[in-house]
Amino acid sequence: MKWLMRILGLLVLFVAVFAVGVLMLPGDRIAQVAVDQIRAQTGREVVLKGKTKVSYYPVLGVSTGALEIANADWSEAGPFVVADSLKVGVDLMSLIGGDVKITGLEAVNPSLLFEKAADGRVNWQLGVEGVAPSGRPSGASNALALSLDRALISGGRLRYLDHASGSDLRVDDVALDMRWPEYRGGATFALSGRMQGASRLTVSGEVSDLAALIEGEETQGKIEARADGGSVDFQGRIGG
């Protein structure tokens, strides 16, 4: 779950920048500001291809073309994240009140590459010194008040490369449905995918305080994993 929270943190950065400028700037300019902020906060190159569009009615939101986030500089395996498009909807009244309430977040055909070098380095350790996983400066007291009505991922692909062991694990047809109505509150998720040579795996669950998990703290959680071969349930402390 921790890597998923880090990816969500990247999207938080995008939405935060969008929320500040959406009523004043054209879509392409908003996208460029977001790219600059993500690059500064993660140390990774970010590329947006295609036209970025802003909608004001019936939903305040932004949609992008293809998105690409670079891998760690030691990797030769390709980008860390690639997606055909990203769509984000924001609640206007919450935005006026100073909060970022995402009414919809959809990534189409995303591809994520997780990689471990032979010396133990991992490519999912995003961020630069002085920046928290949420993208806020470390020690900042005004934490971003984020919530998420619904996040959808369709047609996703995951790949895990371990150069020490030589393993190359792939998961195709990844789908995610996640709901997080309050920043300091619970979240539910349903994640599924198909590993090579195996049946479809479905993982669903609840997290008592998702904000705490994103910020590197422990929280209570319940996870259920199901496949043709059986099932595994877990309930207890996660994160930290």
Side-chain angles (χ1 to χ4, degrees), residues 106-140:
E106 181 177 0
V108 178
N109 296 331
S111 178
L112 287 77
L113 170 64
F114 299 98
E115 191 173 2
K116 185 175 182 179
D119 60 7
R121 289 177 295 175
V122 294
N123 73 336
W124 59 84
Q125 287 184 339
L126 301 171
V128 294
E129 185 177 356
V131 178
S134 63
R136 305 289 297 187
S138 297

Side-chain angles (χ1 to χ4, degrees), residues 14 44 72 88 121 123 145 170 181 196:
F14 184 94
R44 301 285 180 87
V88 181
R121 289 177 295 175
N123 73 336
R170 298 171 188 259
Q196 289 179 317

Side-chain angles (χ1 to χ4, degrees), residues 132-171:
S134 63
R136 305 289 297 187
S138 297
S141 59
N142 54 337
L144 181 65
L146 175 78
S147 61
L148 179 62
D149 279 354
R150 191 177 191 186
L152 293 173
I153 290 177
S154 59
R157 297 174 301 278
L158 300 178
R159 183 184 182 192
Y160 175 68
L161 276 174
D162 188 333
H163 295 280
S165 65
S167 61
D168 186 350
L169 175 65
R170 298 171 188 259
V171 183

Side-chain angles (χ1 to χ4, degrees), residues 5-233:
M5 296 307 104
R6 291 184 181 277
I7 298 301
L8 182 59
L10 286 176
L11 300 181
V12 168
L13 286 172
F14 184 94
V15 173
V17 175
F18 159 70
V20 172
V22 68
L23 298 178
M24 298 177 289
L25 298 174
D28 290 343
R29 178 56 181 159
I30 294 170
Q32 186 57 52
V33 172
V35 165
D36 292 343
Q37 288 295 316
I38 295 174
R39 183 185 297 117
Q41 300 291 359
T42 66
R44 301 285 180 87
E45 187 65 30
V46 181
V47 176
L48 281 177
K49 302 176 182 178
K51 188 174 180 61
T52 300
K53 300 179 181 179
V54 177
S55 64
Y56 300 95
Y57 181 85
V59 177
L60 177 63
V62 63
S63 62
T64 76
L67 167 71
E68 182 176 304
I69 300 175
N71 208 334
D73 55 10
W74 49 263
S75 172
E76 299 179 354
F80 176 48
V81 177
V82 176
D84 286 354
S85 65
L86 178 68
K87 298 179 181 179
V88 181
V90 178
D91 181 79
L92 178 59
M93 297 310 296
S94 296
L95 186 61
I96 294 174
D99 295 338
V100 181
K101 182 176 180 60
I102 306 175
T103 57
L105 175 62
E106 181 177 0
V108 178
N109 296 331
S111 178
L112 287 77
L113 170 64
F114 299 98
E115 191 173 2
K116 185 175 182 179
D119 60 7
R121 289 177 295 175
V122 294
N123 73 336
W124 59 84
Q125 287 184 339
L126 301 171
V128 294
E129 185 177 356
V131 178
S134 63
R136 305 289 297 187
S138 297
S141 59
N142 54 337
L144 181 65
L146 175 78
S147 61
L148 179 62
D149 279 354
R150 191 177 191 186
L152 293 173
I153 290 177
S154 59
R157 297 174 301 278
L158 300 178
R159 183 184 182 192
Y160 175 68
L161 276 174
D162 188 333
H163 295 280
S165 65
S167 61
D168 186 350
L169 175 65
R170 298 171 188 259
V171 183
D172 296 319
D173 194 21
V174 175
L176 171 69
D177 189 337
M178 179 176 175
R179 300 169 191 264
W180 180 25
E182 295 182 12
Y183 180 70
R184 281 294 177 185
T188 61
F189 68 92
L191 176 68
S192 65
R194 189 181 304 278
M195 296 179 60
Q196 289 179 317
S199 61
R200 189 169 188 82
L201 173 67
T202 300
V203 181
S204 59
E206 304 174 4
V207 177
S208 297
D209 188 344
L210 184 57
L213 194 62
I214 293 175
E215 295 168 5
E217 302 172 4
E218 287 190 351
T219 188
Q220 289 287 333
K222 178 181 179 181
I223 300 174
E224 302 176 353
R226 300 284 185 269
D228 288 349
S231 62
V232 176
D233 296 347

